[in-house]
Amino acid sequence: MIAVVAGPTATILNTPPMGADPAALVPQRLGEDVSIEVVGHSGHPIDEHLNSATDKAGRTVTLARGQLVALPLPAGAGPAEQSFFPSAERLYEELDALWTDEAGRTGTLGRLARYRHFRAGPPAGYTGGDAPEVLGVDYFPYGAWESRAEPDIGTLMTITNKVQEIVGAPDVAGVQWLEGSPVIEETLYWLGLLIDTGKPIVGQVAQRLHRSIGSDGGQNLVDGVRYIVSQAWNLDGRGDAVGAVLVADGVVRTARGAYKVAGRPGGYAGGGPVATCTTRWPIRLEYRPLRRHTRDSAVRISELPREVRALDGAGGSRLVQVKDSSGRLAPEVLPVVDIVVYGRYGIQGGACGCADLGVKDAVSHNVERHGLAGFVLEGIAPNGWASRAVESSLSAAVYSGFPVVWCGRGRPEDPVGTTPAPFVAGSNLSATKARMLLLACLLRFGAAPAAQDPDRPTDAERRATAAYIGSLQEVFDTH
């Protein structure tokens, strides 16, 4: 049994607009049994060439009520309200009914496993009935301005709780997480950090719409199922030894290392391959990642405290709830991490002193509004340096209670190395992934100690901050 979870902006669940071309064939259900006559031997041009006109005489085919058949839409049919499927049931049904494997057999997914379908911040919503779902609250598509929405940190907490609940079911062998291809790397890395499980979590994407020419999602799903069923990830019999992975274009990549670099099939880089998927050979691991994840993560849900210390906005601190009595992430715990991107040839201060206004404004806002917050500096590669003005303002941010992680720009391969106090070295993580790990660390360790004067911390305040930063650094060095 594999749990399939539909997440935000998932192209793998998106379809071309229906009704744009009256001649287009769209999978539809038959309302009753139908018998139709087809030309004999017309399924392949060679058969058509080799057989005589007599052999091509019509033959009758009976199609059953409820069967999916590709047919033109009724005359005058307009486009669907939403192009995305609200969950993956219909996608799996269409793939099994209308597509074949290389041996010409239908039902490829159904032969491999059974499926249970879920929604967690899905890309389409049910907008009718007594409790209509709301765009930007219950579902998150992409598209035109008025019809797109991005999930927030609260949605991420909901997704995390849902996936942890799903993977805890005894009969679930693994999870397929379906999300938009440009952003799945962040969510998938997060799930690999937070979800306490020994079962595989597989990210699934498509670069092209379902039902369109060259659609790649179906094969990616089959490869993801084959990876779960293969047990290749279960090296020592104790459960998943690899962690969350992205399976796309015949390659299994670690969630930590995978990055989207192009909007086409084959548009991912990094993260392996830890395995490759071909239809001819069993899936096996090529190497085992060394970073901590899922069942061994220091920031998995079961390791998070019930409460952590956060700033109170009045120069003191307060306790905020991280988990409720059932062990789920509390909906009100909403940490904030901003990314500061450094580019050369900016204003270096001088008489106007505006070089670090953005950081200072963000620190002031966090002091007033967000008890748990931090920053990621995307500096130069690989060491993460920025200008002295930006670094000074970020140092004051740390002593204000908001930890700062240094990363190199782009998709760094070399680690940042040793950073000066009071900063955390982001290893070879991108800024977006370092942000996810820092969010998790805030849930684990709370806010940094705040100095009375962040620009001039005392020796004792520096030592307290160094101890806190050391705890974060250990996590960044191992996850």
Side-chain angles (χ1 to χ4, degrees):
M1 177 67 73
I2 293 176
V4 183
V5 189
T9 62
T11 298
I12 201 168
L13 292 174
N14 202 4
T15 60
M18 293 202 310
D21 183 347
L25 302 181
V26 177
Q28 299 167 74
R29 296 193 192 281
L30 296 180
E32 58 184 31
D33 294 351
V34 176
S35 294
I36 60 173
E37 186 173 301
V38 298
V39 175
H41 300 286
S42 60
H44 193 284
I46 292 296
D47 276 357
E48 205 166 27
H49 167 73
L50 291 176
N51 286 274
S52 66
T54 303
D55 295 327
K56 296 176 188 175
R59 62 187 181 88
T60 300
V61 175
T62 300
L63 305 175
R65 181 179 183 271
Q67 184 174 339
L68 283 176
V69 179
L71 297 168
L73 289 170
E81 179 184 293
Q82 302 172 59
S83 60
F84 290 87
F85 292 165
S87 63
E89 290 102 323
R90 178 60 179 263
L91 173 65
Y92 280 56
E93 183 183 8
E94 288 189 11
L95 292 173
D96 267 359
L98 302 174
W99 276 258
T100 70
D101 63 12
E102 291 183 355
R105 301 172 299 175
T106 60
T108 304
L109 288 165
R111 288 196 308 273
L112 289 169
R114 294 175 294 124
Y115 306 93
R116 191 173 296 152
H117 293 275
F118 301 89
R119 305 167 72 227
Y126 297 106
T127 56
D130 296 331
E133 294 183 332
V134 178
L135 173 70
V137 177
D138 303 300
Y139 67 99
F140 304 91
Y142 61 76
W145 172 270
E146 66 278 1
S147 60
R148 75 173 189 251
E150 280 291 309
D152 61 11
I153 187 69
T155 304
L156 180 62
M157 300 300 165
T158 300
I159 287 170
T160 310
N161 287 332
K162 186 71 172 179
V163 174
Q164 183 66 68
E165 177 186 348
I166 290 168
V167 81
D171 63 338
V172 168
V175 172
Q176 289 179 288
W177 169 254
L178 282 55
E179 191 179 358
S181 59
V183 285
I184 193 172
E185 61 197 53
E186 297 165 53
T187 312
L188 201 57
Y189 181 48
W190 171 268
L191 294 176
L193 294 170
L194 271 289
I195 302 303
D196 191 353
T197 185
K199 302 173 184 179
I201 300 173
V202 176
Q204 306 272 215
V205 296
Q207 303 286 0
R208 294 173 179 160
L209 306 183
H210 174 57
R211 300 177 178 171
S212 69
I213 293 176
S215 172
D216 54 314
Q219 186 62 55
N220 290 343
L221 289 175
V222 171
D223 288 343
V225 173
R226 290 183 62 235
Y227 174 77
I228 294 173
V229 172
S230 74
Q231 293 280 314
W233 42 269
N234 191 3
L235 290 178
D236 54 11
R238 294 179 53 242
D240 185 15
V242 180
V245 295
L246 177 73
V247 177
D249 311 310
V251 177
V252 181
R253 304 178 186 275
T254 63
R256 186 187 187 278
Y259 295 91
K260 181 172 179 177
V261 295
R264 52 173 169 74
Y268 282 95
V274 297
T276 56
C277 306
T278 69
T279 55
R280 295 172 181 261
W281 308 107
I283 295 174
R284 68 177 187 181
L285 293 189
E286 300 299 331
Y287 73 87
R288 177 176 178 170
L290 299 178
R291 300 286 180 166
R292 295 175 64 178
H293 58 81
T294 52
R295 60 184 174 140
D296 189 43
S297 170
V299 289
R300 65 190 186 275
I301 290 180
S302 60
E303 285 293 298
L304 300 180
R306 287 285 303 276
E307 296 176 323
V308 296
R309 190 183 67 86
L311 305 184
D312 65 4
S317 63
R318 61 185 176 91
L319 292 177
V320 295
Q321 186 180 13
V322 173
K323 298 190 298 189
D324 61 22
S325 58
S326 65
R328 295 164 59 89
L329 293 180
E332 63 270 19
V333 56
L334 302 175
V336 173
V337 173
D338 295 317
I339 298 176
V340 178
V341 179
Y342 172 69
R344 180 164 281 181
Y345 307 117
I347 299 297
Q348 295 299 323
C352 70
C354 67
D356 56 357
L357 281 181
V359 174
K360 288 185 176 180
D361 289 345
V363 168
S364 298
H365 176 79
N366 288 342
V367 167
E368 296 176 5
R369 302 294 298 275
H370 302 294
L372 289 177
F375 296 90
V376 171
L377 169 62
E378 184 181 85
I380 63 175
N383 51 37
W385 293 354
S387 68
R388 286 186 295 173
V390 171
E391 291 175 16
S392 295
S393 62
L394 288 172
S395 176
V398 178
Y399 290 113
S400 298
F402 309 118
V404 175
V405 178
W406 277 24
C407 293
R409 66 176 65 182
R411 183 174 65 87
E413 295 182 358
D414 291 336
V416 168
T418 302
T419 55
F423 302 114
V424 178
S427 185
N428 62 343
L429 289 170
S430 66
T432 51
K433 288 185 178 177
R435 175 176 174 267
M436 305 311 287
L437 185 50
L438 182 52
L439 286 169
C441 284
L442 289 170
L443 299 180
R444 175 69 174 82
F445 301 106
Q452 288 292 322
D453 182 352
D455 292 314
R456 298 173 182 80
T458 65
D459 290 343
E461 289 170 337
R462 290 180 185 275
R463 288 193 296 270
T465 297
Y468 171 89
I469 295 299
S471 298
L472 271 63
Q473 189 63 68
E474 183 178 356
V475 174
F476 272 82
D477 287 343
T478 55
H479 289 68

